Amino acid sequence: MAGINDVLRKLNKSRDDGDKIALLKNMPEDFLEKGFISTSSPYLDYRCKGHSRTGMSLITGWESVAKSSLLLCAIKEAQKKFPDKTPVVFDGEGSINANYMTRMGVDMDNLIIIKEKRLETVLDQAEAFSKADDVSLIGFDSVKSFYSSIDEQKTAEEYSIGGTAKRWNTRMPIISSNCYRRGIPIILIHQWRKDPGAMYGDGKVLSGGLWIKYMPDFHVDITKKDLIRDEKKNVIGHVMGVRIKKSKHTAYDPKDLFELNFYYDYGFNEVDEYASIFIEEGFIEQKGGWFYFDNGEKVQGKSSVITFLKDNIEYFEVLKTRLT
């Protein structure tokens, strides 16, 4: 009768090193927990930890809310954390360009962008990259922009999204399994669609199959709120309304809406966001419109808190160390 070691030898015979099965004590130390890649927003990381390296993130919203920007921000963070590895992005939208990447701080010398819309080709290529140990992230922008060749061959009367959904549903478990073992986060961008048959509720749906609802372990939904203007009234960004719709790593309330300032020239402002964290942690005490620092200073209004922290960087860095 075969023992467990015989079974393991048989199962591992044709497997790559990164895919081998073994007793947990013989697996790498980070086998169960490979950590996170930052979203580039300190406050969003504070609320959700970031993009799990053993999971799949879904970023949703209507058009022009900065969904692709969040993907580029994650790419920048992956490049900083793993400079010897390369992010891969499937740009079905065709919206990613050199100026856009430069503004978001992406290193264009260490990045693969694939401009492809045919879903079968995209999934084949994604599966190949999912087996590479030196890939740091795989992104899809966006799910709805890729089309199946089988659906393409149908007439308008025959067309349905069923073929596309089935291909995503069949291949993504394989791709994600490869990625999870290698610590490669998958980030999906998807845009809401109006459900013409909805009579109640908000009437928005995510097309492309139920896999998009169940497979991600982290889902953040973005809305566009007020515009941010400079002293000359020029638009320099907008306020994001953010809801964490799903997270397997932190406690969350899907109805809880918080706001982030997003700036078109660079993304998120570190001091702005840490100010919110310090207030929530009680490092800066709020009483009405006044804010009290533990060094004896007090200011009125949150904007004054941000200004004080920018003018006192050493004190700002001390407060940051208290979070770890």
Side-chain angles (χ1 to χ4, degrees):
M1 182 178 293
I4 191 169
N5 290 328
D6 298 315
V7 174
L8 289 173
R9 277 193 296 270
K10 183 178 180 180
L11 293 175
N12 290 327
K13 188 174 182 180
S14 58
R15 288 176 175 262
D16 296 333
D17 288 342
D19 297 326
K20 291 187 182 298
I21 304 169
L23 289 170
L24 188 57
K25 67 177 182 179
N26 297 326
M27 297 299 286
E29 290 184 6
D30 65 350
F31 174 69
L32 294 179
E33 177 55 70
K34 290 181 168 60
F36 296 81
I37 287 178
S38 172
T39 63
S40 193
S41 161
Y43 188 78
L44 187 53
D45 288 347
Y46 172 71
R47 297 292 293 265
C48 72
K49 292 190 176 181
H51 300 289
S52 172
R53 294 183 59 226
T54 55
M56 182 186 299
S57 297
L58 173 63
I59 302 171
T60 59
W62 294 108
E63 68 278 359
S64 302
V65 297
K67 300 185 299 297
S68 298
S69 298
L70 284 180
L71 173 58
L72 290 179
C73 286
I75 290 169
K76 173 186 67 177
E77 298 298 331
Q79 290 174 330
K80 286 163 55 178
K81 189 166 186 174
F82 301 105
D84 57 336
K85 297 185 178 184
T86 302
V88 178
V89 180
F90 293 92
D91 181 23
E93 294 282 352
S95 61
I96 298 177
N97 55 51
N99 177 270
Y100 194 5
M101 290 186 286
T102 299
R103 286 188 287 112
M104 293 301 107
V106 173
D107 178 7
M108 290 183 284
D109 292 334
N110 184 28
L111 175 65
I112 294 174
I113 295 183
I114 300 173
K115 303 279 188 177
E116 175 62 59
K117 285 182 175 289
R118 191 180 296 271
L119 182 58
E120 287 82 359
T121 303
V122 167
L123 293 175
D124 285 344
Q125 293 172 344
E127 184 173 345
F129 282 117
S130 72
K131 298 176 182 177
D133 293 325
D134 54 355
V135 168
S136 61
L137 177 152
I138 296 178
F140 296 89
D141 187 10
S142 64
V143 170
K144 188 58 180 173
S145 65
F146 306 109
Y147 66 91
S148 167
S149 58
I150 290 188
D151 287 334
E152 179 191 18
Q153 295 166 9
K154 294 180 179 180
T155 66
E157 292 181 353
E158 297 172 324
Y159 178 79
S160 74
I161 64 171
T164 298
K166 286 179 181 177
R167 277 152 187 75
W168 279 109
N169 189 61
T170 301
R171 299 293 296 280
M172 284 308 291
I174 299 170
I175 294 168
S176 61
S177 180
N178 292 334
C179 287
Y180 297 173
R181 288 194 294 270
R182 291 169 175 79
I184 304 172
I186 299 172
I187 301 180
L188 306 162
I189 305 297
H190 206 350
Q191 184 171 311
W192 293 108
R193 298 293 194 270
K194 282 287 187 181
D195 182 0
M199 299 181 65
Y200 304 100
D202 59 12
K204 62 183 183 182
V205 295
L206 291 176
S207 58
L210 290 177
W211 72 274
I212 198 70
K213 177 180 180 181
Y214 298 115
M215 287 195 64
D217 62 325
F218 172 56
H219 176 190
V220 60
D221 188 51
I222 309 297
T223 55
K224 187 174 183 178
K225 300 176 77 65
D226 297 335
L227 296 176
I228 301 173
R229 299 178 183 271
D230 62 12
E231 296 83 358
K232 297 180 179 180
K233 305 301 181 181
N234 297 314
V235 176
I236 59 173
H238 68 259
V239 178
M240 284 182 172
V242 182
R243 280 188 173 90
I244 297 175
K245 307 286 283 186
K246 179 181 180 181
S247 175
K248 293 185 178 179
H249 308 287
T250 56
Y252 69 99
D253 180 352
K255 296 180 181 179
D256 182 21
L257 176 70
F258 56 92
E259 295 182 350
L260 302 174
N261 289 343
F262 181 79
Y263 299 91
Y264 299 147
D265 276 347
Y266 57 87
F268 300 98
N269 184 283
E270 182 184 47
V271 179
D272 284 9
E273 301 205 8
Y274 270 109
S276 297
I277 297 172
F278 296 155
I279 292 168
E280 287 196 21
E281 286 290 324
F283 301 164
I284 301 171
E285 186 179 4
Q286 181 178 2
K287 293 182 179 179
W290 287 92
F291 295 85
Y292 297 81
F293 296 85
D294 59 8
N295 64 355
E297 296 286 340
K298 72 173 183 177
V299 297
Q300 188 172 25
K302 188 176 178 181
S303 60
S304 298
V305 172
I306 295 169
T307 300
F308 178 83
L309 292 173
K310 287 179 178 178
D311 293 340
N312 296 270
I313 293 299
E314 289 187 4
Y315 179 67
F316 170 69
E317 293 297 333
V318 169
L319 290 182
K320 282 174 62 178
T321 61
R322 292 170 60 182
L323 292 171
T324 58

